[in-house]
Amino acid sequence: MRIECPFCGERDHSEFAYFGDAACARPAPGAADAQARFVEAVYLRENPAGAHRELWYHEFGCRSWLQVTRDTRTHEILEVRLARESTAP
Amino acid sequence: MRYSLASLLRQACSGHRGWEAAWRDASPKSAYEVLIVGGGGHGLAAAYYLAKVHGLTDVAVLEKDCIGLGNAGRNTTIIRSNYLLPANNPFYELSMKLWEGLEQELNYNAMVSQRGVLNLFHSDAQRDAFVRRGNAMRLHGVDAELLDARQVRRMLPILDFENARFPIQGGLLQRRGGTARHDAVVWGYARAASGLGVDIVQRCEVTGLLREGARITGVRTTRGDIRAAKVAVSVAGHSSRVAAMAGLRLPIESHVLQAFVSEAIKPVLPCVVTFGAGHFYVSQSDKGGLVFGGDLDGYNSYAQRGNLPTVEDVCSGGMALMPAIGRLRLLRSWGGIMDMSMDGSPIIDRAPLEGLYLNAGWCYGGFKATPAAGLCLAHLLAREESHELARAFRLDRFATGHLLDEKGQGPQPNLH
Amino acid sequence: MSSHRLSGEGAIQRDRTLSFTFDRRGYTGHPGDTLASALLASGVRLLGRSFKYHRPRGLLSAGSEEPNALVELRAGARREPNTRATMIELFDGLTARSQNRWPSLAFDAGAVNSLLSRLFVAGFYYKTFMWPAAWWERLYEPAIRRAAGLGRASREADPDTYEKAHAFCDLLVIGGGPAGLAAALTAGRAGARVILCDEDFLLGGRLNGDRHQIGGESGALWARRSEAELRSLPEVRLLTRTTVFGVYDGSTFAALERVSDHVSVPRPHQPRQRLWKIVARRAVLAAGALEHPIVFGGNDRPGVMLASAVRTYVNRFRVAPGRRIALFTACDDGWKTAFDLLEARIDVPVIIDARREIPPALRAQGSRHGVRIMTGAHVLGTRGGKGVEAIEVRGEDGRVSRVRADSLAVAGGWSPNTALSTHLGGRPRWSEAIGAHVPGDLPRGMTAVGAACGELALAGALRTGAAAGREAAGSAGLEAPLEQWRTEEEPVGFARRWSVSGHRGKAFVDYQHDVTVEDIEIAAREGFRCAEHLKRYTTLGMGTDQGRTSQLNGHALLATLTQREPADMGTICARPPYTPVAIAALAARARGPQFKPCRLTPSHRWAEERGAVLVDAGEWRRARWFPLTGEADWRSTVAREVAGVRAGVGICDVSTLGKIDVQGADAGAFLDRIYANMIATLPVGRTRYGIMLREDGIVLDDGTVARLGECHFLLSTSTIHAGRVMRHLTHARQVLWPQLDVQLVSVTEQWAQMAIAGPHSRELLMRVLGDAVDVSGPRFPYLACQEFLWLGRPARLFRISFSGELGYELAVPARYGESAVRALMAAGGTLGVVPYGTEALGVMRIEKGHAAGAEINGTTTAADLGLGRLVSARKDFIGRVLAARPGLAAADRPALIGLTPVERSARLSTGAHLLRPGAPATLSHDEGFISSTAFSPTLRHWVGLGFLSRGRERIGERMRAYDPLRGEDVQVEIAHPVFYDPAGERVRS
């Protein structure tokens, strides 16, 4: 796979570390049901067969965290953006 | 027909015309007591034990393709019970004991070969962790031996003892570990289950679940709706997809694990070896090929194939361990989809919906668990309670914090 | 043995002769030969033995699909088992041996298996060898293993080197036959960056094996001219002897270049092979097609050969595979073989065409030569010993006759070589037009051309190749004109014949694995009816050739047996590699000492000078201890180092600890969310010990946080977790809280850091640092930190201690690390300064009860480690919420404890489990384990750290430390984990 890093250009995926589903935002820690929400965020996964928004870390490059949309059936990369510029759901 | 030398000789004399189908290629009935989704080793074993142990024969195994072509037919065939945690160790030892009697039980030679599994260590810290694990095994009556470098060398002179970046210091050996012929395990369970009256339905893909309120009452398939009192999901790699049909999210990610086989050569490796300083484990099949693997590719995938960096990583592990295999050639590589759970341990439990049962999250350790997973899933289905050795494999352990994290990697499946 | 070499040029250099041996016997050949062609030219037909029945086997093909002619090439450490004779380019001094036979190829005792072949059918293993169970490992399996396998691997390390190369191009052309050449020429002329790979050492593909005409010249000549033109184009790279073996995501292709396999040993500074990783905008699959055999009795006897291979040996290598060669064909293309043989004045006793109707032109041409032609006829079997002597033919009228022939060319039709089209999951599609599979959904950017897409005639190959080249050039923004090459009409009629009914004798479908028609019948009977089950049950297609010549026939046979069409059978997905690839080539440089990088500490050279014994800590290599002459063993060395620190002063390079520089207005707020303890309240110029958790509530790492400025912090991490912590922090900054004003950078490599520990450490620092910084007690108290200039260079000093003594860590830019150590050692001479290594460091941390990697092992909570008091209740931080789950907060969790042996001289062993005295040694009575042990030179007995259920309530209790693995069983007393100076007075002194 080749990932188009917004800073470094297209690079082989071996430069990146994978961090899983990008949709798992950190819940509000103060909520009454915070523990249940954290359990969901940390452990439960949609794990789709198809487009998957996921985090990749350009560890052997610019150390940016990227949000990559990729088809898990074909490995085709559909979109890459900086994680910090992606609005968390 | 019972398999034996006599039956083989009889058939040889009659041109092998009398062999019967190993299992009935059944057409689905409209309803069953128990449906098992997934015709892999686990599902077929569960069906067999349901019939054999619990006398439940109104059972069908539904397979979307032909049986045994998922992870049951894609693994590196290793069996072992060298686990650390008190929740894992007795379970895998149960499995090992079942392996040891499998051929007689099934009247099918699955080529269970207890040739030994040797985990190499290369540092004091690694040795200490192995000693802790080996002692846990011994406490449960599982065989474990600590070898020093000299003993390892005597056993495996082909390894690199001269020029290694991380010299071999020794190894943890389980002599009763080894390999089994993966396809034969599938066929053996299928034949035995079918013989007891279980329907094995191939080319029957589950496309949805039938629900009445909060209760699952059957499945929708490419061959029509099938009702059942109980539906068990045993579809390693695709557990999340089937669970999604019930509106559930599981603590599982699907990852690709590649496996490799070399061209066949005369025997060089007597046992299974795992490299402790890189991603590489290997055994030699009876046919002569080195069967090996390494780490996950590391990203979610349903593609049943991986990429080149992992191939290179695994082969460099192989070369670091056994530089004599350099001119041997890699013949074939393939990928399987692993149900990577969030703590690296499996789930055999009731789903939050009545009538639905899960056997999932086996990571890359499902093959060795086949007999015990089948037995425990059958127990859960028949008795409505967990088998005593599978009690910790609960779905709610993530919420309660009773995690089974052998490697201590935390909720990052690609690190387990 | 008389020569089978024909006159005429072909593609060999007759003016040079190469010598080689096969099974120790000497032969000669010419440059341009393969081992196969040279042996054939010398009349050698028996080249190998089959896997199961040890049947004598000769050449089937002239290419990489060869299933039979596998040899052990070279000797000693360079021995390569299972090497296809058809792919070995002849070189002077080549040695090869036959394999899987004993005692010799001609007389092979293993052939006795043939007598038992009625038993050894598909699936027989599964039905027997079960009694008694224990005999499997002892008897049956060893016998099976010895009999199985093909060649023998060398037991020595591969002496050659391998390398990897990366390339990028507009167009990758896979295959240098007519279609590939046309594509490369078209795109290359337009200026596109083209890479063309071919597994052969000669470009041209079938143009070399057949007698084609292109634009009035011979196809072979056209190939030579095209090659010359391509070589002249600056943006074109031709890689011969290079197999594209894998297609991967992101238009990445893997190719193996056999740089030195055509010489006896690699030339100086040359690798044996080179692994290319090619990223291509477009790819053209021009891998041609494979001819497949027809299944009939005795079809494996040496002398039975694919018709196209016969042509290749005749036309390219100028070798007559036999003196009297019959032809069995089911397609027009096969007739070429007869005509080429006749042209070369080789006797063709009969042309047997399975079809009743054949094109009149072919019949006329055959009749002109006076050849006997049988139509609607089939070969039922062959006769002979280790080679064909006659064939048995059933004519259209059903009468069986015998024809004397020493060889039989078989033309079963062509199948596109679709392998690379399926690596990314595409499935081949059945084409009725050619009666074979053609590529289905191709990987993005790939086009199949020529025979690989079912265009079996030359004109179509050139046309589709050129069109794809033009299209690829267009995608690179280049205009490519199309050239029209003139070719002759070719008849391409065919009738599919997979196997011959009523065959006589064993009929082989898969040659290498001895899979016969009978095996397929058994599989069908027993319900192994899908392609995958057939393969797994019979091993069809599992050989080194991956069923290249057997799969289609096998599937077609099974289809017939189960009343289906071949089109409905599906296929086996071809997987990488296309042809087998040496494992060393995939590893390349990453082997031996270069397996992983080796990171050296700034003081490495100095440590080596002092004779330090080194140890690998992950990728780092550190000084483990510094032995002095006369010391009995390492324990006395370590004891001396510990005593030296505890009583005087010692120096240890701790640069391997991770260092992360954190700056920004929100740095304190950010670190408060990272660490479980409060950080924002840390005053400038102060250091604090901190722990960070994973979000699941488990401790991730511990270390120090130094506040160098209002908005500037420096963190230290453990050596082993440095990378993971950096990832964790950048994730928090960029993904969780991008709004915070904070920047992070890893400075592990930038700073050398030395621990200076012991009661005299202050004195030593005053001597070395002079006025650069005031280290006197009140001005530089415990946990102080300061940045300053030392000798005009930036330096940092921290008053922190891992040893439990008065201690400091001095940081200087990495390149001054060595001189800093030397300065400290020089200044400390009169103080008796001792350098100490990781072992003494470890002993002292155990004496002090500090948790390290064995305790912070990814499963322990802050409370487990006795660090619960550090955890702040006044703020949110990563891991807080989930650490409160019942399973992690339970009171009976194993807690960190200290251990001492009751019998003071007894030794403690790490990894021992803790049981109550008298309790049975079973898992259910297992209450904990020992995580770290050391002999404490200070206390003069062993001490240990470990975890014990409810451990903190059980200080003083006695337990058994049970280590059956090492045969040890010791009584221990549970103690507070801090053995040395529990009040911490010494660090504050």
Side-chain angles (χ1 to χ4, degrees), chain A residues 38-87:
Chain A
F38 268 80
V39 166
E40 282 202 20
V42 170
Y43 292 107
L44 299 188
R45 295 287 178 267
E46 195 61 45
N47 195 19
H52 185 229
R53 279 195 303 146
E54 57 199 23
L55 292 170
W56 290 79
Y57 172 47
H58 200 182
E59 187 156 31
F60 301 112
C62 60
R63 288 185 171 158
S64 296
W65 282 81
L66 309 179
Q67 183 182 293
V68 175
T69 309
R70 189 178 58 95
D71 191 319
T72 57
R73 294 163 305 181
T74 62
H75 299 169
E76 189 180 354
I77 290 171
L78 308 168
E79 190 196 53
V80 182
R81 55 208 294 188
L82 286 176
R84 64 187 315 158
E85 287 169 6
S86 309
T87 43

Side-chain angles (χ1 to χ4, degrees), chain C residues 467-523:
Chain C
R470 178 190 173 133
E471 200 276 333
S475 78
L478 300 163
E479 186 66 40
L482 278 184
E483 182 172 345
Q484 306 276 345
W485 287 284
R486 194 159 43 78
T487 58
E488 297 161 329
E489 282 287 310
E490 281 174 88
V492 291
F494 72 96
R496 279 293 165 189
R497 283 294 182 286
W498 318 108
S499 63
V500 177
S501 59
H503 59 81
R504 297 182 171 182
K506 275 203 179 304
F508 288 86
V509 182
D510 185 306
Y511 289 91
Q512 194 177 108
H513 272 173
D514 284 338
V515 179
T516 63
V517 171
E518 185 178 33
D519 292 323
I520 293 176
E521 287 167 353
I522 292 172

Side-chain angles (χ1 to χ4, degrees), chain C residues 803-871:
Chain C
S803 61
E805 300 297 336
L806 168 68
Y808 301 83
E809 289 188 12
L810 174 66
V812 295
R815 63 187 162 129
Y816 300 114
E818 184 182 332
S819 53
V821 171
R822 290 185 194 278
L824 287 162
M825 288 302 295
T830 55
L831 291 170
V833 64
V834 291
Y836 65 100
T838 55
E839 202 68 32
L841 196 73
V843 170
M844 289 189 280
R845 74 101 187 160
I846 295 170
E847 288 177 340
K848 278 298 289 179
H850 289 310
E855 288 77 32
I856 302 178
N857 60 13
T859 62
T860 46
T861 65
D864 296 344
L865 294 165
L867 300 171
R869 69 197 144 73
L870 288 182
V871 177

